[in-house]
Amino acid sequence: MPARCARTGGGLVAKSDLNRSILGVYKIIPWATTIIGLLVFAILAVVLLRFRDRPGAPLPRQIHGHTAMEISWTIAPALILLIIAIPTIQVIFKTQSAASPKGALEVTVRGWQWWWEFRYPSLDVVTANEVHVPVGRPIVFVMEGPDVIHSLWIPQLGGKRDVVPGRVNRITLTPDTPGEYWGQCAEYCGASHANMMLRVIVEEPAAFDKWVAAQKAPAPEPAGDGVTGKEIFAKSACVGCHTIRGVSAGGLWPTTNENVAAWGKDPVKLKPGSKMPNLNLSDTDSKAVAAYLMGLK
Ligand code: CUA
């Protein structure tokens, strides 16, 4: 499993219009500083050669006060700042727009300690840590914070934006390349902050519709070990918090039978500070519950 940051791919690859705009601004700075750096070194080279120490050359004359030079070295940095500021402000306004574009898909995002909840109000679908979106359609993430401040950050799709209790923040983007994009909570939110990952699956509209239909379908009946697992699940404290519908996988650990069993047996060991209590399931019981949950995929 690659390192977490490596999984997000970094923000220098743009897979949405939003990240393309942000990268456009970002790229001005290295170009501008390269040009300025080359100019400075060129002038320095000329000065070093022209005024080098030669036998019989007069001593350099110290000058005091040179209005033209003083004005120029005040105006030049102001111009450079302006070159960076104008596109930056344009992108800030563009990406802060509160209006949803026509035909946009709205996804409500809630940051919880320590997982992501995604709701599709128009589709009646809810997922955790995994969000599917169709390629080429504007997506509006409407962010609400039920507990502490989190920050939604999917580097290749753009971001980040804080999820703040008591207010609603929005982020609008149109993904342009199908694929799987990892995201990470980008605001320290407690013991398992670094474990608060998410996955965005950008897919063709037909595949997305198929996924929506699968999410709405009733859960398949378990077989084998899963039958006992379902009974344990239904009798245990699990049902106090969880209901089973179309199922999506979490972000942090690969969803394997072993990991799901380990999670069920001792959540805090995998996610320090987790509010999911340790229900003291036996090895056999946690394996059976894992078999049941894995059978839902
Ligand atoms: Cu949620 Cu950091």
Side-chain angles (χ1 to χ4, degrees):
M1 189 163 69
R4 279 170 211 175
C5 284
R7 268 196 277 172
T8 66
L12 292 175
V13 182
K15 302 287 187 182
S16 76
D17 59 337
L18 172 66
N19 204 27
R20 224 168 285 286
S21 306
I22 297 169
L23 262 184
V25 172
Y26 182 78
K27 279 180 182 161
I28 295 172
I29 296 166
W31 280 114
T33 46
T34 304
I35 293 166
I36 294 165
L38 288 175
L39 264 173
V40 168
F41 280 106
I43 294 169
L44 183 67
V46 170
V47 169
L48 285 175
L49 282 174
R50 207 171 144 195
F51 300 102
R52 68 183 184 277
D53 190 19
R54 276 173 293 197
L59 280 176
R61 192 166 52 88
Q62 187 65 48
I63 53 165
H64 178 260
H66 194 295
T67 316
M69 280 173 82
E70 282 166 14
I71 288 176
S72 58
W73 69 53
T74 307
I75 288 180
L79 278 178
I80 296 167
L81 285 183
L82 213 61
I83 290 170
I84 297 167
I86 292 172
T88 304
I89 292 166
Q90 280 174 335
V91 168
I92 288 173
F93 276 93
K94 197 174 128 193
T95 61
Q96 290 285 345
S97 166
S100 292
K102 236 182 120 207
L105 174 67
E106 252 188 39
V107 181
T108 308
V109 181
R110 286 186 182 157
W112 295 91
Q113 279 175 319
W114 289 275
W115 58 283
W116 296 97
E117 179 186 333
F118 298 102
R119 289 179 176 267
Y120 300 72
S122 59
L123 303 171
D124 191 27
V125 166
V126 185
T127 68
N129 297 329
E130 184 185 291
V131 58
H132 286 241
V133 292
V135 68
R137 183 167 168 193
I139 312 296
V140 182
F141 288 114
V142 182
M143 295 169 235
E144 305 168 355
D147 52 27
V148 301
I149 299 176
H150 304 270
S151 182
L152 185 76
W153 187 34
I154 310 134
Q156 299 194 354
L157 299 183
K160 43 187 95 155
R161 194 143 300 162
D162 282 3
V163 182
V164 183
R167 66 167 289 161
V168 175
N169 276 346
R170 303 158 68 91
I171 203 164
T172 304
L173 56 89
T174 309
D176 54 26
T177 318
E180 185 182 287
Y181 305 104
W182 286 88
Q184 165 71 52
C185 179
E187 182 76 52
Y188 181 70
C189 53
S192 269
H193 155 70
N195 296 334
M196 201 169 157
M197 298 197 77
L198 66 131
R199 241 175 355 150
V200 183
I201 288 112
V202 177
E203 53 200 359
E204 296 297 341
F208 175 73
D209 292 342
K210 222 175 123 191
W211 175 80
V212 171
Q215 289 295 305
K216 293 180 148 191
E221 276 309 308
D225 263 2
V227 181
T228 341
K230 188 180 180 186
E231 283 164 17
I232 298 166
F233 185 91
K235 274 192 296 196
S236 74
C238 308
V239 287
C241 301
H242 303 284
T243 51
I244 296 293
R245 246 178 112 189
V247 171
S248 47
L252 181 59
W253 302 94
T255 316
T256 60
N257 270 44
E258 292 72 37
N259 282 339
V260 173
W263 168 251
K265 197 166 149 50
D266 190 356
V268 181
K269 195 170 157 204
L270 289 191
K271 225 184 223 186
S274 170
K275 284 181 183 155
M276 179 165 140
N278 187 343
L279 298 176
N280 293 313
L281 292 181
S282 70
D283 276 352
T284 336
D285 283 1
S286 55
K287 274 189 195 129
V289 172
Y292 164 54
L293 294 175
M294 292 298 286
L296 297 169
K297 282 187 97 174

